[in-house]
Amino acid sequence: MTTPNYSYGAFSSGGSAPVPAVPQRPAAVERGFWLLIASAIVSVIVLILSMVTLTSNEGRADLAAAGGLTGDDVDFAVTIGLVTVIVIGVISLAVNVLFAVFARMGHSWARIVMAVFAGLSLTALFGVDGSVESILSLVSLLLLIAGVVLLFLAPANAYYSQMQAYRQAKKMGYAG
């Protein structure tokens, strides 16, 4: 009695599966990544300008007038505002840069998350008032949207599919 062959003819020559090459990153992904980084840099500038505005005498006066606050209350509100701006800004910056790096490395889920961030960021359009911070926030948003769009173009889609296949082959020991 013979031993059944369960290989179904795959690599019947006794060799192993061909080793897939690391997919080449297309220009669309590279440009999209740098647009996302540019968006993050502009966001840092907006963060700094917001802190300067909040701590300025004019910012304090606006805060006092809007909230009906007195001296110590204004100081407390400015402190809370600064802490909030810094914490949210640093976390947002870190998350955006991290997902941009993962998108550049070929992880499709990262570009999807960035697309969701871009969609949620559209709510910032309601607060555009002509100030420098608002205009720069709009520029940051446009850079983010442009970067995300590039990550969904046909060459980028092919790259993400190839990277997924490459990672699966590597996980199974077929890729170097």
Side-chain angles (χ1 to χ4, degrees):
M1 182 163 187
T2 62
T3 305
N5 181 1
Y6 293 111
S7 68
Y8 302 103
F11 310 112
S12 59
S13 63
S16 61
V19 177
V22 178
Q24 193 71 15
R25 185 181 306 121
V29 172
E30 196 65 24
R31 288 184 188 119
F33 168 76
W34 286 111
L35 285 173
L36 295 175
I37 296 301
S39 173
I41 291 169
V42 173
S43 293
V44 168
I45 294 168
V46 170
L47 176 72
I48 293 168
L49 288 175
S50 295
M51 291 188 306
V52 168
T53 300
L54 185 61
T55 58
S56 70
N57 288 336
E58 183 181 315
R60 288 172 176 271
D62 289 345
L63 187 60
L69 304 174
T70 60
D72 286 341
D73 293 337
V74 170
D75 290 340
F76 182 73
V78 167
T79 302
I80 295 296
L82 280 175
V83 169
T84 303
V85 165
I86 291 170
V87 169
I88 290 174
V90 168
I91 291 171
S92 175
L93 176 69
V95 167
N96 281 331
V97 169
L98 180 69
F99 287 137
V101 168
F102 275 109
R104 186 177 189 225
M105 292 172 36
H107 294 278
S108 186
W109 59 265
R111 69 182 176 149
I112 293 167
V113 171
M114 292 303 293
V116 171
F117 283 166
L120 292 174
S121 296
L122 289 173
T123 60
L125 292 176
F126 296 115
V128 176
D129 61 5
S131 68
V132 174
E133 291 96 334
S134 288
I135 293 168
L136 286 175
S137 291
L138 182 60
V139 169
S140 178
L141 176 62
L142 293 174
L143 289 168
L144 175 65
I145 291 170
V148 168
V149 167
L150 287 174
L151 295 179
F152 281 92
L153 294 179
N157 287 336
Y159 169 69
Y160 287 111
S161 296
Q162 292 166 0
M163 280 302 294
Q164 181 180 8
Y166 173 76
R167 278 192 298 279
Q168 286 175 345
K170 189 173 181 179
K171 186 177 179 181
M172 297 178 72
Y174 294 127

